[in-house]
Amino acid sequence: MGDHFTQPDHGIIPALRWEEPPEGPVLILLDQTRLPQEEVELVCTDVQALVAAIRSLAVRGAPLLGLAGAYGIALAAARGYDVEEAVDLLAHARPTAVNLAYGVRRAVGAYRQAAPEQAASAALAEARALHLEDAAASRAMAEHGGRLLADLASGGGYRILTHCNTGALVSGGEGTAFAVVMAVHRSGELRRLWVDETRPLMQGARLTGYEAARAGMPYTLLADSAAGSLFTAGEVDAVLVGADRIAADGATANKVGTYPLAVLARHHDVPFIVVAPTTTVDLATPDGASIEVEQRSGSEVTDLAPSPLGTQAYNPAFDVTPPELITAIVTENGVVSPVTGECLAAVCR
Ligand code: MRU
């Protein structure tokens, strides 16, 4: 099984891996809903289990959703499930991160093109290729992002504010924004990583905290609502975030709470940088208003603290930052700045 494929080693338990025990192929996920308290793996033997894991955010984050989609097609094919039904279930499991549908498309494209007896292995090979491409994209984004920071922010070490979770837990490599932070940390130039807790599901506190602690970074957790006072105190040199979908005009959907950071960054004249692979760019979505934003159950908000019975909650999973508030978008193919449709299209080759 898969001896030609080596999982990239980024120092944490792989967020997702393919295995072929005698009972048949499985997709194994690190259950992110249980982190950081427990490192528990979920074993998916069918597409339904994978879709449930995607919806519950056991597996999450745009690039990793792309890998989950691709391996999900490989799983369906290898297990003899209806692949066309799997395409429909997986591609629509969550609506905002465009990588999910992209990963599904890549694997099913290879499946459909291959001879029937080779179709399942063609889907798996494509999922593995996407996995390696994602790891390579992480490395390239880290390089481009590191150079951009050196150009934009003053020397003497960087104090970087981030939101949500963008590291190895969401990627085949070291992630997107967090891969840049890792590079800065390795070069000894990370003065502080400010980690937004990221309400309501706490991806920052739980997951970025987990990754930053394991990397030995100097990091500090803050309530999302404390970001304004951090800017006022002059404690932020740059904001680095990932993306779930970037529209053709550069408008960027990312975890809810990202847009207010972009407004603050502009007000305080601090660079606001989006780091995302080109697989997150969706040139078919013309602008931010056209991005479908996932609405999640209000109970994710009301369960956080006691609230009167029957309280209704507003719970969009993402918000959209307009291109004029984004200093630069860092992709594996280079940096887009200024953020215009023309410059973005040029890196999506
Ligand atoms: O709802 P989630 O946890 O899947 O949201 C994830 C994010 O918003 C990340 O910031 C985004 O996917 C970029 S990850 C590289």
Side-chain angles (χ1 to χ4, degrees):
M1 66 159 244
D3 52 357
H4 56 288
F5 178 80
T6 313
Q7 187 94 32
D9 180 8
H10 37 55
I12 70 167
I13 297 172
L16 163 159
R17 67 199 155 87
W18 177 270
E19 282 200 2
E20 295 182 9
E23 315 82 73
V26 290
L27 189 60
I28 302 181
L29 310 172
L30 177 61
D31 184 349
Q32 300 195 25
T33 64
R34 310 275 286 270
L35 290 174
Q37 289 93 337
E38 294 175 305
E39 291 170 337
V40 177
E41 291 189 317
L42 282 176
V43 180
C44 296
T45 55
D46 59 44
V47 171
Q48 282 77 8
L50 179 57
V51 167
I54 291 171
R55 293 213 168 112
S56 70
L57 273 55
V59 59
R60 47 155 292 283
L64 191 71
L65 287 173
L67 300 184
Y71 280 111
I73 295 300
L75 185 66
R79 289 264 182 181
Y81 296 119
D82 181 337
V83 169
E84 299 307 326
E85 191 184 307
V87 169
D88 201 44
L89 284 173
L90 285 165
H92 299 111
R94 290 186 77 190
T96 305
V98 72
N99 302 62
L100 177 57
Y102 174 80
V104 168
R105 239 183 3 259
R106 280 272 303 260
V108 82
Y111 174 87
R112 287 176 185 147
Q113 270 181 11
E117 61 283 8
Q118 274 144 22
S121 54
L124 179 58
E126 193 66 15
R128 286 178 161 156
L130 183 61
H131 203 150
L132 292 176
E133 286 168 29
D134 193 59
S138 276
R139 290 192 294 274
M141 288 186 287
E143 274 177 34
H144 292 307
R147 274 200 296 273
L148 176 70
L149 271 181
D151 289 348
L152 285 177
S154 52
Y158 306 112
R159 294 157 303 173
I160 295 171
L161 173 61
T162 194
H163 191 69
C164 199
N165 171 252
T166 62
L169 289 170
V170 299
S171 159
E174 287 192 331
T176 58
F178 197 80
V180 179
V181 176
M182 282 289 274
V184 171
H185 175 52
R186 284 197 188 99
S187 68
E189 288 184 302
L190 183 66
R191 263 173 77 191
R192 182 125 318 256
L193 179 64
W194 299 109
V195 178
D196 262 7
E197 57 182 7
T198 315
R199 290 190 165 221
L201 295 180
M202 304 292 182
Q203 287 95 330
R206 294 187 303 107
L207 306 176
T208 303
Y210 172 82
E211 292 179 333
R214 282 184 162 240
M217 284 178 186
Y219 78 97
T220 301
L221 183 65
L222 61 143
D224 299 348
S225 49
S229 68
L230 200 58
F231 278 98
T232 303
E235 291 284 342
V236 185
D237 298 310
V239 180
L240 260 66
V241 294
D244 288 87
R245 185 183 299 229
I246 301 175
D249 68 347
T252 294
N254 190 48
K255 179 54 56 194
V256 69
T258 299
Y259 168 55
L261 294 182
V263 175
L264 279 168
R266 176 56 53 91
H267 184 72
H268 291 273
D269 201 19
V270 167
F272 180 90
I273 301 165
V274 171
V275 186
T278 51
T279 50
T280 301
V281 179
D282 180 16
L283 296 177
T285 296
D287 52 28
S290 313
I291 297 176
E292 183 182 349
V293 171
E294 177 185 4
Q295 302 292 323
R296 294 187 61 89
S297 165
S299 64
E300 290 178 349
V301 178
T302 52
D303 286 356
L304 274 179
S307 41
L309 210 63
T311 296
Q312 291 186 8
Y314 170 62
N315 189 21
F318 304 97
D319 59 25
V320 178
T321 300
E324 60 273 17
L325 292 182
I326 303 173
T327 311
I329 298 176
V330 176
T331 75
E332 74 279 23
N333 293 336
V335 174
V336 177
S337 184
V339 178
T340 63
E342 213 177 11
C343 295
L344 187 61
V347 296
C348 296
R349 47 184 193 258

